[in-house]
Amino acid sequence: MSNAPKDSSSANAMWGGRFASGPDAIMTAINASIGFDQRLYAQDIAGSRAHAAMLAATGILTSSDAEAIGEGLLTVLSEIEAGNFAFSTALEDIHMNVESRLKEIIGEPAGRLHTARSRNDQVAVDFRLWVRAQCDAAIDGLSALMKAFLAQAEAGADWVMPGFTHLQTAQPVTWGHHMLAYVEMLGRDRSRFQDARRRMNESPLGAAALAGTSFPIDRHMTAKALGFDRPTANSLDSVSDRDFALEFLAASSICAMHLSRFAEELVIWSSAQFRFVRLSDKWTTGSSIMPQKKNPDAAELLRAKLGRILGATVALFTVMKGLALTYSKDMQEDKEQVFDAADTLMLALAAMTGMVSDMTANRDVLAASAASGFSTATDLADWLVRALNLPFREAHHVTGTLVAMAEGKGCDLPELSITEMKSVHDGITQEVYSVLGVENSVRSRTSYGGTSPVRVAEQIARWKSALN
Ligand code: ARG
């Protein structure tokens, strides 16, 4: 939709009073942001409408001028939404494109809109409104994903599976417990977006260029009209602050890191060697040469998306680092990073939600795998401590000897005979076999936050009420 730059020999109509000539074509190319900041059109128009209404309420503009401005801005809005707006690179950015079109529509009053305002507070308010809406979208997306994990947890609350450390079999855990680990992680992500939203919800509009204004404006009125809790308290900070964007990117990065961890588990779990889960056809692809293949492409892409989001985060930190107060044009480099990170995050959340909802856990495979790899060795050591009063270090050693014995025989711990057990420690009795089964193992882990089905059921109930 973008136009070729207008004649560069003439000075800019919005600020060209002291300029004899227009910018070089390459200057226009590096300076213009309309190619990307047109995405802020709705926020820009909402900000301008609030500003115009306030200018009338405070007597700075006549109500007929303010009404013409408000109506004209709605016309501009509908033109943009209908795709009938010719964006001009010569007009640099969304702010001047909208104002210039307003002038074409309503004439002279359009020139009064910029009273007691600067593009510096204008872009700050537009971008805050945009990022705030993305926080809301992230919060909604995370809630949906948490519900998908919770449904998985509920369906297999007490199914046993191997728990890993170092990706080596550690102790049996429950499927419900593993799914709820992600609900916890995503719950923290959600609260990070909620916190960031709360902190960013102050209006910079009315800070003007940097120092405030001599016009008797009402910043509380515009703040309220735009859904902010209050106006920002320092005009210099208002136009130079991009913390809200950095916080959004930081929260997005942590969230995308979480998604990458489950994505990796899905890649491993859906392999023929593991078969812990079956991904639905909707989230996998085939190979053009190997007919048996079902590739977890969505999971692999989700594992990768953090690269882009973290890249955007590092980019904006680097733009902001060392900038003297207040606004500098460096800050125009904030938007593309945040736009791309937000688009990436929303797509990632939606894809993960679909994949988690559609995946099927292989209960039998999980159970068989839970029992392999001497996963109840810790239960055996704990039993030696409890039943025979051995110090834990000695119990650990006895258990290690038994594991080596089983490994040598090519069997699992419960398959060792009582005579074999007694040859390592003669205090061992028949009772030991009750702790070697995986079901008993997970049932015994009843400490708060533990994997026992009783504890998992409590956490499911807590999250169900929190999410509904
Ligand atoms: N396009 C600019 C940006 O995105 C708007 C603010 C320009 N302000 C200025 N003083 N040149 O940052």
Side-chain angles (χ1 to χ4, degrees):
M1 281 197 287
S2 138
N3 269 355
K6 286 183 183 158
D7 177 10
S8 72
S9 65
S10 59
N12 187 293
M14 312 298 279
W15 47 252
R18 60 161 290 181
F19 288 77
S21 83
D24 188 275
I26 294 173
M27 172 58 186
T28 300
I30 194 173
N31 193 41
S33 54
I34 189 62
F36 49 89
D37 71 11
Q38 54 182 265
R39 215 167 154 177
L40 298 176
Y41 74 87
Q43 289 76 19
D44 193 70
I45 288 170
S48 290
R49 281 173 50 83
H51 184 66
M54 179 278 291
L55 292 177
T58 50
I60 300 167
L61 281 197
T62 64
S63 46
S64 67
D65 281 351
E67 257 163 49
I69 291 170
E71 286 300 307
L73 285 168
L74 287 183
T75 306
V76 176
L77 180 67
S78 60
E79 287 177 358
I80 296 176
E81 269 164 0
N84 292 332
F85 191 95
F87 290 104
S88 154
T89 309
L91 288 166
E92 273 184 50
D93 56 26
I94 187 61
H95 323 298
M96 298 201 292
N97 269 268
V98 169
E99 191 185 316
S100 163
R101 178 69 188 130
L102 181 67
K103 177 127 188 280
E104 287 170 4
I105 300 169
I106 67 168
E108 193 260 1
R112 300 182 184 277
L113 170 61
H114 215 51
T115 312
R117 182 177 82 166
S118 151
R119 272 191 295 159
N120 296 348
D121 58 336
Q122 195 178 352
V123 73
V125 78
D126 292 3
F127 198 29
R128 258 188 215 235
L129 287 169
W130 196 88
V131 175
R132 187 179 75 182
Q134 295 301 308
C135 284
D136 291 337
I139 291 164
D140 289 349
L142 279 162
S143 299
L145 180 53
M146 289 165 78
K147 283 182 189 166
F149 272 111
L150 187 59
Q152 285 286 352
E154 233 189 323
D158 59 354
W159 298 358
V160 288
M161 67 178 283
F164 298 93
T165 61
H166 314 267
L167 199 55
Q168 306 286 318
T169 302
Q171 294 171 352
V173 296
T174 47
W175 172 259
H177 200 48
H178 199 112
M179 294 297 105
L180 285 181
Y182 283 96
V183 178
E184 293 289 333
M185 291 149 83
L186 299 168
R188 290 194 295 276
D189 288 329
R190 205 172 57 153
S191 74
R192 267 183 281 275
F193 285 109
Q194 286 162 340
D195 286 350
R197 189 200 197 281
R198 205 173 303 124
R199 228 177 340 268
M200 76 179 66
N201 204 29
E202 293 185 345
S203 172
L205 188 58
L210 76 164
T213 174
S214 57
F215 289 99
I217 60 171
D218 183 350
R219 292 190 59 209
H220 293 272
M221 181 180 168
T222 47
K224 190 162 177 236
L226 296 168
F228 289 108
D229 294 330
R230 62 191 80 82
T232 50
N234 182 301
S235 61
L236 302 176
D237 178 45
S238 307
V239 295
S240 73
D241 169 42
R242 291 295 181 271
D243 289 4
F244 58 95
L246 289 168
E247 283 197 51
F248 174 78
L249 290 172
S252 300
S253 297
I254 297 175
C255 177
M257 176 273 286
H258 288 153
L259 299 185
S260 80
R261 295 184 71 172
F262 191 62
E264 167 72 349
E265 297 203 308
L266 285 181
V267 171
I268 296 171
W269 290 358
S270 65
S271 68
Q273 288 70 20
F274 267 78
R275 293 195 307 116
F276 281 10
V277 295
R278 208 173 57 246
L279 296 176
S280 109
D281 288 355
K282 289 196 244 168
W283 303 101
T284 48
T285 62
S287 156
S288 51
I289 176 165
M290 297 164 283
Q292 85 285 9
K293 294 280 297 270
K294 197 166 146 184
N295 295 326
D297 291 35
E300 293 167 89
L301 288 161
L302 282 164
R303 191 170 54 182
K305 290 296 186 190
L306 169 64
R308 283 171 80 147
I309 296 178
L310 187 60
T313 309
V314 173
L316 186 55
F317 267 101
T318 312
V319 166
M320 296 307 294
K321 179 199 169 289
L323 283 188
L325 299 189
T326 55
Y327 177 86
S328 296
K329 197 64 173 258
D330 309 51
M331 289 160 66
Q332 179 167 286
E333 292 287 313
D334 56 0
K335 289 174 242 354
E336 283 169 292
Q337 302 298 340
V338 175
F339 290 162
D340 186 66
D343 291 344
T344 304
L345 183 72
M346 302 316 152
L347 182 60
L349 287 170
M352 189 60 103
T353 303
M355 218 168 17
V356 170
S357 306
D358 292 348
M359 75 182 179
T360 318
N362 261 326
R363 185 180 185 173
D364 298 341
V365 174
L366 289 170
S369 178
S372 70
F374 313 110
S375 66
T376 53
T378 315
D379 300 84
L380 173 52
D382 287 350
W383 181 85
L384 293 168
V385 170
R386 265 199 314 271
L388 307 184
N389 198 29
L390 296 192
F392 183 77
R393 286 294 163 214
E394 193 185 334
H396 186 282
H397 191 80
V398 169
T399 307
T401 310
L402 288 167
V403 166
M405 181 184 277
E407 199 168 32
K409 288 189 63 189
C411 69
D412 271 317
L413 280 174
E415 284 144 38
L416 290 177
S417 71
I418 188 67
T419 323
E420 286 165 326
M421 296 259 192
K422 278 181 180 296
S423 74
V424 177
H425 193 289
D426 67 0
I428 299 179
T429 67
Q430 199 65 36
E431 191 195 299
V432 74
Y433 291 100
S434 68
V435 301
L436 296 180
V438 288
E439 301 283 347
N440 284 342
S441 169
V442 296
R443 257 201 298 279
S444 72
R445 296 220 153 69
T446 52
S447 54
Y448 184 80
T451 202
S452 154
V454 214
R455 293 287 95 88
V456 170
E458 287 166 3
Q459 294 301 324
I460 288 174
R462 178 173 74 85
W463 277 114
K464 271 181 102 166
S465 69
L467 283 170
N468 293 318

